[in-house]
Structures are given as structure tokens and as C-alpha cells.
Amino acid sequence: GNSHKVSTSTSFLLAYHEKSSSIHPETVIINKAGAHCLFEPKKHVLIVENAELFFAKKHLFEKLNQVFGLQLSLQHTDLLYGSGNQVTHKLNKSFLSEYQSVICFFDYDLGGLKIFKALKNMLGNKVTFLEPSSNSDNMKQYFKKSPANKSQYIKALAQAKALNLMTLHSLLLSETAFMEQEAILAFE
């Protein structure tokens, strides 16, 4: 049989928070009764879809602050491992709704845009996508991932435009390639 036809009764997310003192993240368990976690969620959460970035949390925050001019830290922002589109599971809505803002740093490709759109549909305007700034010439060199096919590229362009991510749309047009989020770790 096809196990994907059956809806699961439990979801989980891995999280780092202000009191995380080891490499071991907290596991947030979410079921129909609600979210179960051993920490008090902050007002803000950053979601990444890539394990490499998630486990390099200190370096990740440094690079995001540098590249995007932010002031992210675990003192006021929790970090979640989205595990690809696992984060969009309908049960996760109860937990993610506790945050005032949900910041998404995903691959700059069709998959990342689909995850962002699903979260935006789930949670509304509290969800934002970390988009390159309009003076993002320093990012162009990291758009190296070739689309699997032309259709995927065209869909990514359309999705970026539909989500009003116009700087990303322009970069996708000029570079005709995608950027994987872990490239942020290589930024100078």
C-alpha cells in the first residue's frame, strides 16, 4: 500500500533555543492535543530546511546577520529545522502559530518557494522569506545550482513573482540558476 495516503497523527520539529547548551536539539512533538516542548517559545523563529545550517547555528546566525543586516540571536529567536517540507505538516500549525514572526531561510529554488508559500498559506503575513537585498551583487556568485529542467526554472520564476519576491525574481532571471541555502556559510 501507499503509506503517504494515510495522515499521520503526530509530527515533530527539532529546535534550538536560548537555553540550548549542547549539540542536541530539543524535539517538539505535535499531535491533535497540541504542541509539547520543554522550552518557552520566543516571539520569533527562524526556519531552515537544511541540516548543515541547522547544526551550524552560531555560524548561521553570524552569516545571516552579516549578509542581511539582521540582529538574530538565540536570545530572542528560536531556530527550527524544517526538514524540507516537513515543517508544513498541518499539525505544526498549532506550534508555529505561537510565534509573532516566522522567518524562512530556504533554498532559492522552486522547492524553497513552495515551502514558503505553504507556510504563508498556513500562518498568514507573520511569515517572511529572507530575500536578497536589491544590492545583492555579492550573492550572484552563489547561484550555481542548475535547475533540473526548464519547467522547474519557469515555475520558480513564476512563484517568486507571485509571492512578490522581486529581488529574488531578478536574480533568478539574471543568473538562470538557483542558490542552495548552505552557500551562506561560504560568504565573505
Side-chain angles (χ1 to χ4, degrees):
N2 185 349
S3 63
H4 294 285
K5 287 184 178 182
V6 178
S7 181
T8 59
S9 61
T10 304
S11 181
F12 73 93
L13 296 167
L14 298 179
Y16 283 122
H17 55 87
E18 183 177 19
K19 295 183 177 151
S20 297
S21 59
S22 79
I23 192 169
H24 299 283
E26 296 276 348
T27 304
V28 180
I29 307 294
I30 305 113
N31 57 29
K32 290 182 172 99
H36 310 277
C37 64
L38 302 175
F39 65 95
E40 185 68 33
K42 296 292 185 191
K43 292 180 180 180
H44 313 285
V45 64
L46 170 68
I47 304 172
V48 295
E49 62 176 307
N50 178 281
E52 182 75 21
L53 286 180
F54 179 72
F55 289 108
K57 61 188 179 292
K58 185 175 186 263
H59 197 52
L60 167 67
F61 277 104
E62 288 170 0
K63 289 297 184 180
L64 291 177
N65 290 339
Q66 172 195 339
V67 172
F68 294 100
L70 302 172
Q71 294 181 338
L72 296 174
S73 74
L74 287 175
Q75 282 72 45
H76 56 79
T77 306
D78 294 332
L79 176 62
L80 291 181
Y81 175 46
S83 188
N85 68 0
Q86 160 66 20
V87 71
T88 65
H89 191 289
K90 65 183 177 186
L91 287 173
N92 295 337
K93 182 178 181 179
S94 66
F95 177 69
L96 295 173
S97 293
E98 294 180 33
Y99 290 100
Q100 286 180 15
S101 71
V102 176
I103 306 161
C104 301
F105 183 57
F106 301 148
D107 289 343
Y108 293 151
D109 66 4
L110 182 59
L113 291 168
K114 283 182 173 182
I115 297 167
F116 171 64
K117 181 180 179 185
L119 286 171
K120 195 143 181 81
N121 287 341
M122 178 191 289
L123 301 167
N125 289 332
K126 68 168 63 183
V127 182
T128 57
F129 189 84
L130 275 185
E131 181 182 21
S133 65
S134 55
N135 62 348
S136 55
D137 285 344
N138 62 331
M139 294 186 90
K140 286 183 177 184
Q141 64 183 314
Y142 299 102
F143 280 74
K144 295 179 178 180
K145 180 181 169 192
S146 296
N149 54 55
K150 189 170 183 163
S151 172
Q152 183 189 57
Y153 174 69
I154 300 293
K155 287 177 183 175
L157 280 172
Q159 192 76 266
K161 191 171 189 176
L163 293 166
N164 202 30
L165 301 171
M166 299 315 293
T167 304
L168 177 58
H169 181 267
S170 294
L171 273 168
L172 292 173
L173 264 177
S174 69
E175 302 311 302
T176 61
F178 299 139
M179 186 186 110
E180 294 182 308
Q181 62 184 223
E182 60 270 23
I184 195 87
L185 298 178
F187 276 50
E188 298 298 321

